[in-house]
Amino acid sequence: MNIETKDADRNDAPTASNFIRNIIDDDNRSGKWGSRVETRFPPEPNGYLHIGHAKSICLNFGIAQSYGGVCHLRFDDTNPEKESFEYVESIVDAVKWLGFEWTKENEEHLYFASDYYDKLYEFAELLITRGKAYVDSQTAEEIRANRGSATEAGTPSRYRERSVDENLDLFRRMKAGEFKEGEHVLRAKIDMASPNFNMRDPVIYRIRFAHHYRTGDTWCVYPMYDYTHCISDALENITHSLCTLEFEDHRPLYDWILDELASAGIFTRPLPQQIEFSRLNLTYAITSKRKLLQLVTEGHVDGWDDPRMPTIVGVRRRGFTPEGIKLFCERIGITKVDSWIDMSVFEGALRDDLDDKAPRTAAVLDPLKLIIDNYPEGQSDECSAPVHPHHPERGNRTFPLTRELWIERDDFTETPPKGYFRLFPGNKVRLRYGYVIECTGAEKDEHGNVIAVHCNYFPDSRSGTEGANNYKVKGNIHWLSVAHAKPAEVRVYDRLFREPQPDAGGRDFLEALNPDSKRVMNAYLEPGAENAEPEQRFQFERHGYFVADRYDSKPGKPVFNRIVGLRDTWGKPA
């Protein structure tokens, strides 16, 4: 495994080729599918999608789109205990937010595996009648024990040779609810000596007395994923079934089931082709649904949409853009080799997307008062700055300079370290877009804390005038007028974990939580920014990119989340 840290070259580069596109191109040249390309994105509605799913979404929908095909959105809802409409709705919203749709020629390709329950059951009976499936009455522990090992073949069940009639009778009684959970299962009859464990008579149906969010209590037998998935693909005429590498060992079973049903006259060839690609492993993040649920239920985060979470609802609330996520997915590419992608690549793609889009504004996050002693009381100078430095057509923004200003607390120190060019007694700096000032001292409270900094300004030093050239200073600080600045809550988010691989080696991932992953600050904004609409993004000059929170921010009462800093400073000394 390697950790990749470099971004790809260009945002506007043509679509890169990869092994999946090569397979599709070969199929199109041979006429295998008549140039038809249909893919599918099949999440289980048992949780919120995360950034790893975003890679699969971009791949499946993007591939189909680029070949003039269609990608189906299908919910693999065969596990009634954990699924709900809440998760269905969240998944639909996530895919739409990323900019994809599943409609072609006015036909909506939205499906549920639960819609196929009758067909799946019918096909299971067909496999029984063809001698390819049997009801096993061993306990779950016996089935596990008899599967064998990597060096030893499995032991056939003592129920493996039941007659077709007995198997059909037991399976129908399972469906009728006559047996308890775990009393019987239906298994495919394949090869107990296969080196691939997935082919050692896998379970394809089990008994579950659970209320299903769509079918209610109609069923008490539910098909397993490996059985359901390939049949769903075939029923929907999927051409290329793209999935992550952990399903590579499942492909022989996928092919076996479809081959058997094709031989029985159910499906025609060619059959859907499963193709595997590497999943997204992102540093400083957890993508296990179980562990994400633990973070939520134990209160380590503020919900599934906490901006520190790698869920799509989380990164959306953080302020990430669909375009930034797509750019990230393009840069990491599609391979068959698992690797770790560094978080800086993800953040870098977002910076590259936002840099051209985000208007600039000023904000003081940790305010300290600066008093210009020789600036006339009641006077105000109108200063201006570009809305975007690379797009003069967007115009300028204006803001007043007055006698009392807010500056960042770390822009002043009484004892400057080497290389410190900001405010300290006797030093000169430029107020950005304003005047040059010279620090004369500071006020302190009874505890010795600095509560105000004093300075004098040079009236002939204003930016944009000829006199400005007479002053050579190394420091340049941003500021806001105390009388005009607008208060705001600003949430400064950082990586949720301190370690690149929080659960490496089986350790408790909670021990790697970053205690400084969220800081809430009472800040001040440049006039105008307080009226931001929810999800409106800005670059706060010097601080990074910020977004008005999609839920908590209201025009006039802003709440901003830091999306990402201007550059990657993680783990670097201040």
Side-chain angles (χ1 to χ4, degrees):
M1 300 235 178
N2 64 303
I3 296 181
E4 299 182 20
T5 57
K6 293 184 179 179
D7 290 346
D9 295 328
R10 290 173 54 91
N11 185 2
D12 57 352
T15 302
S17 182
N18 57 58
F19 74 95
I20 293 176
R21 288 183 175 276
N22 292 340
I23 291 172
I24 295 174
D25 290 341
D26 287 343
D27 289 343
N28 287 343
R29 280 191 290 268
S30 70
K32 179 179 179 180
W33 301 101
S35 297
R36 184 172 60 88
V37 175
E38 292 200 31
T39 59
R40 80 294 164 273
F41 174 63
E44 181 181 0
N46 66 344
Y48 287 80
L49 300 184
H50 53 66
I51 192 63
H53 294 111
K55 176 182 177 180
S56 182
I57 293 170
C58 290
L59 174 62
N60 278 286
F61 282 91
I63 284 279
Q65 188 178 69
S66 66
Y67 284 93
V70 64
C71 179
H72 300 189
L73 177 59
R74 181 204 309 144
F75 291 94
D76 171 43
D77 54 353
T78 59
N79 191 1
E81 293 97 336
K82 298 180 179 180
E83 298 160 354
S84 72
F85 281 114
E86 174 191 354
Y87 296 131
V88 169
E89 291 169 356
S90 74
I91 291 168
V92 167
D93 287 345
V95 177
K96 285 183 176 179
W97 178 71
L98 284 170
F100 297 108
E101 58 182 35
W102 41 90
T103 300
K104 184 180 182 184
E105 297 175 354
N106 297 320
E107 181 181 356
E108 185 177 62
H109 294 273
L110 177 66
Y111 304 97
F112 294 81
S114 52
D115 287 337
Y116 306 138
Y117 279 175
D118 287 323
K119 286 286 187 184
L120 292 164
Y121 180 84
E122 175 190 334
F123 297 160
E125 284 203 353
L126 179 61
L127 290 177
I128 292 173
T129 60
R130 292 172 60 84
K132 300 298 183 178
Y134 64 96
V135 174
D136 193 354
S137 305
Q138 294 182 105
T139 65
E141 291 75 16
E142 287 177 310
I143 291 174
R144 276 194 295 272
N146 289 334
R147 288 188 73 200
S149 67
T151 57
E152 295 180 351
T155 302
S157 168
R158 58 186 178 277
Y159 303 105
R160 196 173 193 263
E161 301 307 323
R162 277 174 162 158
S163 67
V164 168
D165 289 341
E166 185 180 5
N167 281 317
L168 283 174
D169 176 64
L170 286 170
F171 190 48
R172 290 167 181 170
R173 290 168 63 192
M174 286 169 61
K175 178 177 180 288
E178 294 184 23
F179 304 114
K180 298 177 183 178
E181 290 188 9
E183 199 168 346
H184 303 287
V185 294
L186 183 68
R187 298 178 71 177
K189 185 186 287 189
I190 307 179
D191 181 5
M192 289 300 294
S194 173
N196 185 335
F197 275 72
N198 295 296
M199 302 297 283
R200 294 185 182 182
D201 290 11
V203 174
I204 58 175
Y205 261 93
R206 80 284 201 201
I207 300 170
R208 285 289 184 275
F209 290 99
H211 184 83
H212 191 279
Y213 76 105
R214 293 188 77 239
T215 61
D217 298 317
T218 302
W219 294 87
C220 62
V221 288
Y222 289 94
M224 302 297 288
Y225 173 84
D226 280 339
Y227 174 74
T228 305
H229 182 65
C230 56
I231 293 176
S232 300
D233 282 352
L235 289 170
E236 295 174 22
N237 296 310
I238 297 301
T239 58
H240 304 87
S241 183
L242 313 180
C243 57
T244 47
L245 278 175
E246 62 262 37
F247 293 100
E248 186 171 28
D249 288 343
H250 298 244
R251 192 190 334 139
L253 178 57
Y254 180 103
D255 293 339
W256 183 90
I257 292 171
L258 293 187
D259 281 339
E260 290 296 333
L261 294 176
S263 298
I266 299 298
F267 299 126
T268 58
R269 304 177 191 277
L271 298 167
Q273 179 181 0
Q274 178 176 305
I275 306 169
E276 305 86 19
F277 61 93
S278 61
R279 63 179 295 167
L280 173 59
N281 298 304
L282 190 64
T283 61
Y284 299 98
I286 289 289
T287 54
S288 158
K289 284 184 179 180
R290 177 181 61 81
K291 292 175 181 176
L292 291 175
L293 178 62
Q294 186 179 349
L295 288 171
V296 173
T297 57
E298 294 182 1
H300 301 290
V301 294
D302 300 326
W304 287 101
D305 62 355
D306 186 302
R308 294 166 291 179
M309 290 279 275
T311 53
I312 293 179
V313 289
V315 297
R316 177 180 180 179
R317 190 170 183 185
R318 177 76 170 259
F320 280 62
T321 62
E323 296 80 9
I325 293 172
K326 290 176 183 176
L327 177 59
F328 167 67
C329 291
E330 289 173 12
R331 288 180 171 179
I332 62 177
I334 302 298
T335 71
K336 287 185 74 77
V337 179
D338 272 329
S339 63
W340 284 88
I341 307 300
D342 195 81
M343 179 67 78
S344 63
V345 180
F346 189 31
E347 295 168 341
L350 184 69
R351 287 190 194 94
D352 289 348
D353 178 59
L354 288 177
D355 179 62
D356 192 61
K357 297 177 177 178
R360 275 42 171 177
T361 191
V364 176
L365 304 189
D366 189 9
L368 175 64
K369 187 172 288 187
L370 174 70
I371 302 171
I372 310 174
D373 292 315
N374 66 334
Y375 193 91
E377 290 273 7
Q379 180 173 312
S380 174
D381 280 311
E382 199 75 9
C383 298
S384 69
V387 172
H388 196 292
H390 307 307
H391 292 280
E393 72 278 6
R394 299 186 191 177
N396 288 340
R397 61 191 209 272
T398 59
F399 41 89
L401 183 146
T402 55
R403 186 172 187 268
E404 293 189 354
L405 307 175
W406 293 120
I407 63 171
E408 293 291 347
R409 188 167 296 276
D410 63 6
D411 279 345
F412 170 79
T413 183
E414 290 185 289
T415 55
K418 184 178 179 180
Y420 185 88
F421 299 120
R422 287 166 278 171
L423 281 174
F424 56 88
N427 194 45
K428 296 183 182 72
V429 302
R430 177 171 292 282
L431 297 174
R432 196 172 190 200
Y433 310 119
Y435 296 96
V436 171
I437 60 172
E438 182 176 9
C439 181
T440 58
E443 294 178 38
K444 298 181 180 180
D445 61 17
E446 64 273 18
H447 302 294
N449 300 312
V450 175
I451 58 173
V453 177
H454 287 264
C455 68
N456 289 320
Y457 87 115
F458 299 91
D460 61 343
S461 66
R462 183 169 177 174
S463 294
T465 67
E466 289 185 7
N469 297 326
N470 296 328
Y471 296 85
K472 305 299 181 183
V473 295
K474 294 183 178 180
N476 191 323
I477 66 174
H478 71 283
W479 51 273
L480 292 170
S481 165
V482 169
H484 300 88
K486 303 301 181 181
E489 178 181 316
V490 173
R491 301 163 180 170
V492 178
Y493 291 103
D494 214 325
R495 300 178 185 182
L496 186 57
F497 296 98
R498 295 171 298 178
E499 301 293 332
Q501 299 176 35
D503 54 357
R507 65 181 173 184
D508 183 358
F509 71 102
L510 297 177
E511 294 178 359
L513 283 170
N514 176 15
D516 299 319
S517 61
K518 177 184 178 181
R519 290 179 292 141
V520 179
M521 312 185 82
N522 295 316
Y524 288 102
L525 306 178
E526 182 180 310
E530 79 280 7
N531 294 319
E533 295 291 334
E535 295 197 276
Q536 187 174 353
R537 299 169 182 85
F538 295 88
Q539 185 194 104
F540 288 0
E541 293 176 336
R542 175 174 163 183
H543 292 300
Y545 296 96
F546 289 74
V547 65
D549 188 90
R550 65 182 299 212
Y551 299 122
D552 297 337
S553 190
K554 303 290 186 294
K557 293 185 178 179
V559 176
F560 277 90
N561 302 328
R562 186 174 75 172
I563 309 170
V564 68
L566 293 177
R567 61 186 184 278
D568 180 23
T569 58
W570 183 257
K572 298 176 182 177

